[in-house]
Amino acid sequence: MAVLLWQGATGRLGNLPAMSLCDRYLALLKAAVSNTLYYTPDAVPSLAEIARAGELMALVRARVGQSPWAEQRLKLSHERRQMLDRILLLTPEYTARWLQSNHPPCHTLLSGPALDNLRMCIETVLADEVAGDLIECGVYRGGAAIFMRGVLCAHGDQHRRVWVADSFEGLPEPGDEDLLDALTHELLKEVGAFRVSVESVQEAFRRYDLLDEQVAFLPGWFSDTLPSAPVERLSVLRLDADYYESTRVALDHLYPRVSDGGFIIIDDYNPQFGAHRAVDEYRTTQAIETPLVQARASHVHYWRKTAR
């Protein structure tokens, strides 16, 4: 059993490799919110789960063949129509595993690389003294927002707030015109469509001893809360809104509040569903030329706001 001895100002712990306490804390926090300390994500779906997944896919295939979904399918680009058709061919086993992956026993669905990207963005704005709070739009069980608050805590920041924005009623029902979003929603309803109460998320913050005056909640649909949200400046805007409308509303109302030098992180840029389209449209209409950067977590893209 290793004996841990604190060696004064060197920041070293006995026989462990040289690593700052900040790094150790954030590595442990990352593993905790993603539950990689204990959880093995390779559980085999039960026969009942596979059968239910098959029923869901049959219902979705049938609906795509009916109007208005059939009409919307014809309006998709060739690439997006191919993507839709590949989804419709998913086996019950694969669908069951996909549903499991969207409802695991953890506080965040983000992978280690996605959390590393979030940490990098936060630490960069701290080092560069970029003004503004942090916000996550679409928080699920709160793990990523908890990690955001943990990064501030680890660096001794006592001024910036972490805003936690979510309906806390699950994902909104997308319109039929957003066919890929609508199809995804039909499947996600099976696992609750990410519905988690605000009380549950607050309790999660409390368990990590990170629920304090630097955490503020914005419960409600984005179209109702974000236009009048009491957020003056942002240094990190993280969007995990999944669908077109939610992503576009968040960008419309929050991007102008991001300070120059701040980061915009898009969790759902890949695959090319509604969030992807919303981001591309917004960047085009706002003439944003700063390139999108793909994080090591391939679905996550981000850019840094530059002065015009």
Side-chain angles (χ1 to χ4, degrees), residues 80-304:
R80 290 169 65 81
R81 194 181 308 164
Q82 282 188 319
M83 186 184 305
L84 170 67
D85 291 343
R86 285 197 297 271
I87 293 172
L88 295 177
L89 291 173
L90 293 180
T91 65
E93 292 83 357
Y94 186 95
T95 303
R97 285 185 179 274
W98 182 81
L99 290 171
Q100 277 189 340
S101 72
N102 280 281
H103 195 63
C106 56
H107 283 130
T108 181
L109 298 178
L110 295 192
S111 64
L115 289 167
D116 289 340
N117 168 256
L118 180 56
R119 177 182 173 181
M120 179 276 294
C121 292
I122 298 171
E123 291 182 335
T124 300
V125 299
L126 291 176
D128 293 349
E129 298 182 348
V130 178
D133 293 337
L134 288 59
I135 191 170
E136 183 178 40
C137 298
V139 304
Y140 189 37
R141 294 176 179 146
I146 289 167
F147 187 73
M148 294 164 80
R149 178 67 189 97
V151 175
L152 293 182
C153 181
H155 287 279
D157 183 282
Q158 300 178 359
H159 305 290
R160 299 172 195 258
R161 274 187 163 183
V162 173
W163 294 88
V164 185
D166 199 286
S167 71
F168 299 104
E169 296 183 31
L171 291 168
E173 191 84 32
D176 286 338
E177 67 276 7
D178 298 316
L179 183 53
L180 289 168
D181 287 354
L183 185 154
T184 302
H185 193 73
E186 287 299 303
L187 297 176
L188 286 176
K189 284 193 292 188
E190 181 70 11
V191 290
F194 302 139
R195 180 172 184 169
V196 179
S197 71
V198 65
E199 292 82 10
S200 294
V201 176
Q202 290 170 340
E203 176 59 24
F205 268 90
R206 188 176 293 110
R207 291 186 180 191
Y208 290 95
D209 196 23
L210 290 171
L211 184 64
D212 59 15
E213 67 281 355
Q214 286 181 249
V215 179
F217 288 80
L218 291 172
W221 303 111
F222 293 167
S223 56
D224 297 327
T225 61
L226 297 185
S228 58
V231 184
E232 295 182 5
R233 301 302 299 166
L234 290 168
S235 58
V236 175
L237 165 59
R238 185 177 190 281
L239 297 184
D240 195 354
D242 290 86
Y243 299 157
Y244 172 86
E245 184 65 25
S246 301
T247 302
R248 187 58 194 263
V249 167
L251 285 170
D252 284 339
H253 294 288
L254 296 181
Y255 182 80
R257 309 186 204 186
V258 177
S259 300
D260 292 338
F263 287 91
I264 299 88
I265 306 170
I266 309 298
D267 186 81
D268 305 297
Y269 192 72
N270 280 333
Q272 296 183 22
F273 288 11
H276 182 105
R277 181 164 64 92
V279 170
D280 283 355
E281 284 184 4
Y282 186 82
R283 284 170 52 87
T284 298
T285 58
Q286 298 298 314
I288 299 171
E289 298 180 354
T290 307
L292 272 167
V293 179
Q294 185 179 47
R296 283 198 301 123
S298 61
H299 59 98
V300 176
H301 286 60
Y302 67 97
W303 78 93
R304 193 171 190 187

